[in-house]
DNA sequence: TATTGTTATACTCTATAACTATA
DNA sequence: TATAGTTATAGAGTATAACAATA
């Protein structure tokens, strides 16, 4: 079954809210109602790869969205255009299999990008049911700028990672979602 | 603004669909309609940390969901219970800030967990507007089992990572979404 | 019989506005 | 005036079922 991981948003910091310090009282009394939580302990969640991967992905997507807005491209649309650009003639079915999308959800996206003259459908060379997808000249141009933006924003979104750490991170993440690799 | 990254699902493999090999014809003719795509080139996307982090997170969540179904806990509910368990008396506002959730979206979740007798609200020691959240005995018991399941499934979902690689991965991911750290 | 692309539709998750009661 | 919790609601994202055309 298809993907998921909706859009994010500026992403709220894991920063604990204004502490709400427990008043140093003479007698705290019994722990009846309990004490206020000063600092939130997230140690267990932080030990889970799934939790950390999700938070990291959302952080980067939060930077991705506003910067790609200038091209009118959402994350999935960027991925679709990129795959078409690097694989002229790719079919909708191949896009779905590669990006883990449901065919019905790709239809509208393709229509929209086609209406914006970023891509076009052509006859498939050996399957009349399918259609080969190709970028238009404008699509190529837009994608080129969008890709440059994507590469730059990733660096900005992960300023504390060294070049070597980025390479390591990419390798480890691929080992998770790629059966082979 | 709040989080995101909806549920996933078994996650479809990045495996390219049945190749659809181009028939070795005598005359391929002009590249008019183009050739069929045999293997999908995903090299550009695979160079993006955001893309890889998202795919990896979805892969793990795809394993998380069915295994946590026995406890009736979705990913976010598991995170909420875990934080309450490790932070007795935490407020809804603190949960929202920590997990990047919108307050309105947490209300129903708290209600549901409370109705299932997994947690309870108590008076907040020094703010009558707020409520301290606490696990019930049953909640503690359920959480204990759920956490053990979570730790185990992560290993199963990332079988190709060595213990050292897991530690490295956690550290790098945290450097992305934690401003400090 | 299986597959590509499609329509229609339902479900889940997330976001925004506005209200109350307290601070 | 600001904040905690709440309600109602809108919106985006994702899911399944069923169909026509072609393999």
């Amino acid at each position: 079954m298809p993907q998921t991981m909706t859009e994010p948003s500026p992403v709220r910091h894991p920063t604990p809210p204004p502490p709400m310090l427990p008043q140093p009282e003479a007698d705290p009394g019994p722990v009846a109602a309990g004490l206020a939580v000063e600092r939130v302990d997230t140690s267990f969640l932080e030990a889970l790869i799934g939790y950390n991967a999700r938070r990291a992905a959302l952080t980067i997507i939060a930077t991705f969205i506003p910067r790609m807005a200038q091209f009118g491209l959402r994350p999935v649309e960027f991925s679709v255009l990129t795959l078409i650009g690097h694989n002229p003639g790719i079919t909708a079915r191949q896009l779905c299999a590669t990006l883990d999308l449901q065919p019905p959800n790709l239809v509208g996206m393709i229509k929209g990008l086609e209406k914006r003259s970023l891509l076009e459908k052509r006859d498939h060379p050996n399957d009349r049911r399918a259609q080969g997808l190709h970028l238009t000249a404008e699509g190529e141009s837009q994608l080129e700028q969008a890709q440059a933006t994507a590469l730059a924003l990733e660096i900005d979104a992960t300023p504390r990672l060294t070049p070597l750490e980025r390479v390591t991170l990419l390798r480890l993440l691929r080992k998770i979602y790629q059966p082979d690799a």
Side-chain angles (χ1 to χ4, degrees), chain A:
Chain A
M1 304 111 185
Q3 73 154 28
T4 302
M5 201 169 193
T6 320
E7 310 309 76
S9 40
V11 160
R12 187 167 299 164
H13 328 267
T15 311
M20 187 171 295
L21 306 170
Q23 308 294 356
E25 306 172 41
D27 175 19
V31 201
L35 297 171
V37 174
E38 291 187 51
R39 194 180 182 296
V40 179
D41 175 8
T42 59
S43 58
F44 186 86
L45 294 181
E46 283 178 14
L48 298 177
I49 295 178
Y51 175 79
N52 286 274
R54 186 176 85 147
R55 293 302 299 262
L58 291 175
T59 296
I60 297 176
I61 295 178
T63 298
F64 186 99
I65 298 206
R67 295 227 200 162
M68 280 298 170
Q70 61 180 311
F71 302 109
L73 294 178
R74 290 167 303 167
V76 187
E77 292 173 329
F78 172 79
S79 295
V80 166
L81 276 191
T82 292
L83 288 182
I84 297 176
H86 290 70
N87 302 274
I90 190 173
T91 66
R93 194 224 170 285
Q94 288 179 305
L95 280 176
C96 287
T98 305
L99 295 176
D100 201 17
L101 300 173
Q102 294 297 338
N105 299 328
L106 184 60
V107 175
M109 203 182 309
I110 295 292
K111 273 186 183 172
L113 295 172
E114 188 181 18
K115 182 160 294 179
R116 290 162 59 187
S117 301
L118 296 179
L119 63 81
E120 63 183 14
K121 298 176 181 175
R122 296 186 196 166
D123 290 340
H124 191 279
N126 44 32
D127 188 338
R128 289 193 304 169
R129 294 172 303 180
Q131 300 158 0
L133 300 173
H134 300 258
L135 293 188
T136 61
E138 186 181 347
E140 292 276 9
S141 171
Q142 285 280 83
L143 177 59
E144 196 171 349
Q145 298 176 60
Q147 286 186 334
T149 300
L151 289 174
L153 78 83
E154 284 232 332
I155 306 294
D156 297 341
T158 59
R160 303 183 55 260
L161 292 182
T162 67
L164 177 58
E165 287 179 327
R166 283 179 226 283
V167 174
T168 299
L169 183 54
L170 288 176
R171 179 175 60 81
L172 297 180
L173 289 173
R174 275 197 296 265
K175 289 185 71 171
I176 294 177
Y177 77 92
Q178 289 182 341
D180 44 314

